Amino acid sequence: MNFNFHSVPIEETLKKLDTSLEGLKEEEAEKRYKEYGPNEIIEKEESKLKIFLRQFTSPFILILLIAGFLAFLLGDIKDSLVVYGLIFVNGFVGFYQEIKAQASVKALKSLTSHTVKVIREGKEKEVDAKNIVPGDIVILREGDVVPADIRLIEATGLLVDESILTGESYPIEKLADDVLPEDTPIYKRVNCVYKGTVIVRGKAVGVVFATGDNTQIGMIAKRMEEKSPQSPLTRALNSFGKVWILVLLIVLTILTFIGLFQGRDAKNLVFFAVAQLVSAVPEGLPIVVTIALVVGALRLSKEKVLVKQLPAVETLGSATYICSDKTGTITLGKLEVNDYVAYDREKLILAAALCNDASEKDGDPLEVALLKWLVRERIDWKFLREKYVRVWEYPFDTKRRLMAVAVSSEKGIEFYVKGAVESLVPLCSQDCSKDILKVHDTLAEKGLRVLAFGYSKLEEIPTSLEEVKIEIVGIVGFLDPPKEGVKEAVETAKKAGIKIIIITGDNILTAKAIAKSVGIYSEESLAIEGKSIEKLSDEELYSLLKNVSVIARATPEDKYRIVKTLQNHGEIVVVTGDGVNDVPALKIADLGIAMGSGSQAAKEASKMIITDNNLTVIVNAIKYGRLITKNLSKVIVYLLSANGFQILYNSLALISGLPLPLYPTQILWINLVTDGVQDKAYPFTKYEGDPMKEKPKKLEKTFIGKEQFLKVFYNAIVMAVAHYFLFKYLLNIFSYEKALTISFTSAVITQWAVGIQEVGEKPFFKNPVDYIKINRYIYVGVFVGIILQAFVVLVVPHYFHAIKLSIQDFPYVIIIPLITFFAIEIRKWITNRMLLNNKV
């Protein structure tokens, strides 16, 4: 029901829902069940066939489909099978990932698959949670999972853990009688409890006003139906595929027409164009990408990062924003005593131990924190509880916000109380408000949750609080402290050009204090509440986010909108979270990272899970992401340099009227013996320098940007022009068959030289030993290539329109590879010198 039940009295709520304290009649409950449906989140599953077919629609996959078909027509069945095998493996992997992603909605359903006690026809009974309906009267007790969205009718000492929904790290006190303004945000609706949250303490009776998809969790589930965006890597490869295939088709079409105009054989020209197209499409690139991502995923697993979708590995390296949850990611997720002021240390310790219902592991988080503090202070609280026997208690009262006990020992009857400062001040035997409130404000400004402790010596067991006057013995401040190493990780992220924003459901003082302690918040940045962004346009919000480092009291809708706004302005956004409230943002983020200890729904909506819930792990993982990006950019330069060389070389010969310097079958072989053995080694290249000192770059520019284009153009021009003049010279002194064989072999070795040079960014001769160490596997590839090429030229040359070469022909074979190697070396020296001058 679309109505703000938190804003009306209990009587009006019951009237609006057409129910009473006696509950619904069974007939009416059945009628409403038919009307509203089961109290479950409805799954909308897409056709599995549609999901499967979608895996084969990207431009790059379409190019490979065409290339595989053309290879088959040319009789190259092996290449065709490899290409199609790769396409279908890739398709099945993508299909599997999407099917797994659908489980995120099912994970939400598991939050409420239990029984619940309701009142129907005046009798208490137990029903399955999925069968409750609006108007049902529900009974809730400590430990219960709230089965639906409920307006409270009665509440006794009720504390609810709403962290899964709001991100609030402390249990929330609930009050049934309060009537709130209509625009009260969900984290302040103290008279309502929501599906999936947990009763920490107390008991309550309430009336159901929303079930299934109409609950707050249900509305979050609807957000989860939105598809996750493609990874930056996928988008960049698609963009690259479109540009490259367009260039190839234009160039090869022009060359074919030129050849026809020159009177060349049409059949041979078409054969040449098709072979060139098959060779120039880097069908090995998806294999290299997969290898790089798998290597990255294996490295990340050692860093306690589990990768669910391989492209997510690379997304880390492209991140420009990290929208991080606070609790459990930046902080320990456990309250600790951070500071205290003791007016009477002995009595403060006794109050902390005795006015406390927790054990060291179980109970109210604040009380557990007190016991751990006592252990750190070397106080045996168990002994104190045995020595001082509880003879009277006033359970925690959410209205009065305090708890009190009376204990008996050889000293007589003693009274201890703990609670909010404003609740204890009125109980003081004399005016203590001024000093106490000053201390309270000092601790609160540090973002601490503050409790005051009082003591009184009694003559007899009390019958009520009103008859006791106390003195304040101490004030304690609690904080969920930051994890070790987070501050250093934040500094590293800043140097890497990555902005971190804490988005939390906690109050602004606590969030700001934590953010400041780890270096995320400073006086130059802003800390705001979620409600302050509601009236901003997306443009205004984006401008504001550039200066914001903390967003407190944020709702799931706030977090979702922030992520979408950043993405719409070209940012690559990483989102961390562990609760159901984080699910919408995790789902639509470029990379959603769930905490290992978080909810199943958050894990299912994410592409990556960190088993050690720590921002430090994420920042360290970014290094691997950037290494993968760098290696992929290198292999693209290598592959396109080789493909560009072949096209330019044949183009120059064709246009000038020379015979083709590379026969179609030779082109296909070169593709196998160079690209096929060297490119697979690139993912194992080590990083040169510090990846975290570089600013993030858009992958489209990293892969096919100006810098990449200039490298490819330079390499291709050097190889093509040098080979063209060599081939022209060879035709004057040798037969066409011998010139073709030398040209063929020289092209192979030259591409090996380019492969060695492009694996590193620094000049080879600056430090040859270190250069070789950055990737030893590249030389293994060359060794395998030498064996294959020697076999072709010496054993079966006639299959490749070649002849056997003598030792006297070796200088002609090796001269262009050496020229190319040193030409790239010179380019590197000049480029590195220019970069050094720019830094200076």
Side-chain angles (χ1 to χ4, degrees), residues 634-642 674-675 678 682 751 754-755:
K634 288 177 180 179
V635 80
I636 286 175
V637 168
Y638 167 55
L639 292 173
L640 295 191
S641 296
T674 57
D675 302 356
Q678 273 194 308
Y682 270 76
Q751 289 187 197
V754 174

Side-chain angles (χ1 to χ4, degrees), residues 384-401:
L384 293 178
R385 287 185 179 178
E386 291 174 1
K387 182 178 179 181
Y388 295 87
V389 180
R390 187 181 295 188
V391 293
W392 176 88
E393 66 177 308
Y394 183 89
F396 180 78
D397 187 334
T398 54
K399 291 183 179 179
R400 301 189 69 165
R401 300 177 67 196

Side-chain angles (χ1 to χ4, degrees), residues 453-483:
F453 294 78
Y455 162 80
S456 181
K457 183 74 171 70
L458 303 179
E459 297 296 328
E460 57 184 6
I461 297 174
T463 57
S464 69
L465 281 177
E466 283 68 23
E467 64 187 72
V468 181
K469 290 297 179 181
I470 65 167
E471 60 177 294
I472 302 294
V473 295
I475 296 178
V476 176
F478 301 82
L479 186 68
D480 180 7
K483 292 182 174 179

Side-chain angles (χ1 to χ4, degrees), residues 757-814:
Q757 276 286 14
E758 291 303 339
V759 82
E761 292 183 308
K762 295 177 181 178
F764 181 91
F765 290 107
K766 187 173 184 180
N767 193 325
V769 175
D770 286 347
Y771 192 97
I772 292 171
K773 287 181 179 178
I774 65 171
N775 191 334
R776 294 184 176 94
Y777 299 104
I778 200 80
Y779 305 98
V780 175
V782 171
F783 178 73
V784 172
I786 289 172
I787 294 174
L788 292 172
Q789 184 64 20
F791 176 79
V792 164
V793 175
L794 300 177
V795 181
V796 289
H798 51 285
Y799 283 102
F800 291 88
H801 300 272
I803 61 173
K804 289 185 179 181
L805 297 176
S806 65
I807 194 70
Q808 288 79 16
D809 300 320
F810 184 73
Y812 295 112
V813 170
I814 201 69

Side-chain angles (χ1 to χ4, degrees), residues 338-355:
N338 180 268
D339 198 359
Y340 69 94
V341 175
Y343 301 106
D344 184 331
R345 179 176 167 79
E346 181 187 350
K347 298 303 181 187
L348 174 59
I349 287 171
L350 285 170
L354 305 176
C355 191

Side-chain angles (χ1 to χ4, degrees), residues 21 54 203-204 293 313 315 347 354 438 447 460 465 487 500 516 607 652 662 678 684 687 702 709:
L21 296 177
R54 189 168 58 241
K203 57 185 179 179
L293 296 178
V313 177
T315 305
K347 298 303 181 187
L354 305 176
K438 186 177 179 181
E460 57 184 6
L465 281 177
K487 189 172 184 178
I500 301 176
K516 189 173 184 179
K607 297 175 183 174
L652 289 172
L662 293 173
Q678 273 194 308
F684 301 94
Y687 212 102
T702 303
F709 174 77

Side-chain angles (χ1 to χ4, degrees), residues 462-651:
T463 57
S464 69
L465 281 177
E466 283 68 23
E467 64 187 72
V468 181
K469 290 297 179 181
I470 65 167
E471 60 177 294
I472 302 294
V473 295
I475 296 178
V476 176
F478 301 82
L479 186 68
D480 180 7
K483 292 182 174 179
E484 185 178 350
V486 169
K487 189 172 184 178
E488 292 76 11
V490 169
E491 186 62 31
T492 301
K494 284 183 176 180
K495 288 179 181 177
I498 302 167
K499 182 172 174 58
I500 301 176
I501 301 177
I502 292 179
I503 305 177
T504 178
D506 259 349
N507 70 74
I508 194 163
L509 286 175
T510 302
K512 194 161 68 170
I514 289 295
K516 189 173 184 179
S517 69
V518 297
I520 293 176
Y521 174 79
S522 66
E523 297 303 324
E524 292 77 36
S525 59
L526 298 174
I528 61 174
E529 290 193 346
K531 63 182 180 182
S532 64
I533 70 174
E534 292 175 1
K535 296 180 180 179
L536 298 178
S537 68
D538 286 353
E539 290 297 328
E540 290 171 332
L541 176 57
Y542 181 63
S543 297
L544 180 66
L545 290 173
K546 292 177 182 178
N547 300 311
V548 168
S549 55
V550 176
I551 301 175
R553 295 301 189 194
T555 64
E557 289 75 18
D558 293 332
K559 198 167 187 177
Y560 176 91
R561 187 188 172 204
I562 288 164
V563 174
K564 290 293 284 185
T565 299
L566 290 171
Q567 289 176 324
N568 290 339
H569 287 82
E571 306 292 352
I572 304 299
V573 186
V574 173
V575 171
T576 72
D578 56 3
V580 174
N581 62 307
D582 298 312
V583 166
L586 287 169
K587 182 77 173 178
I588 56 101
D590 294 287
L591 176 59
I593 303 178
M595 304 299 106
S597 60
S599 67
Q600 187 63 26
K603 293 176 186 176
E604 293 291 352
S606 302
K607 297 175 183 174
M608 194 175 280
I609 299 170
I610 55 175
T611 55
D612 181 5
N613 305 357
N614 199 320
L615 184 70
T616 305
V617 175
I618 298 171
V619 174
N620 286 338
I622 288 173
K623 296 179 183 179
Y624 293 112
R626 291 193 169 184
L627 173 59
I628 290 167
T629 300
K630 183 68 73 176
N631 288 343
L632 289 178
S633 71
K634 288 177 180 179
V635 80
I636 286 175
V637 168
Y638 167 55
L639 292 173
L640 295 191
S641 296
N643 294 337
F645 150 62
Q646 293 171 25
I647 292 173
L648 284 173
Y649 186 21
N650 280 306
S651 299

Side-chain angles (χ1 to χ4, degrees), residues 76 78-79 82 278-279 283 638-639 643 646 665-680 744 748 751-752 781 784-785 788-789 792 800:
D76 194 347
K78 183 180 177 182
D79 264 9
V82 169
V278 173
S279 176
E283 67 269 16
Y638 167 55
L639 292 173
N643 294 337
Q646 293 171 25
T665 52
Q666 292 176 346
I667 293 172
L668 294 173
W669 175 256
I670 292 171
N671 196 42
L672 172 66
V673 82
T674 57
D675 302 356
V677 295
Q678 273 194 308
D679 58 6
K680 311 304 182 295
F744 170 42
V748 169
Q751 289 187 197
W752 290 339
V784 172
L788 292 172
Q789 184 64 20
V792 164
F800 291 88

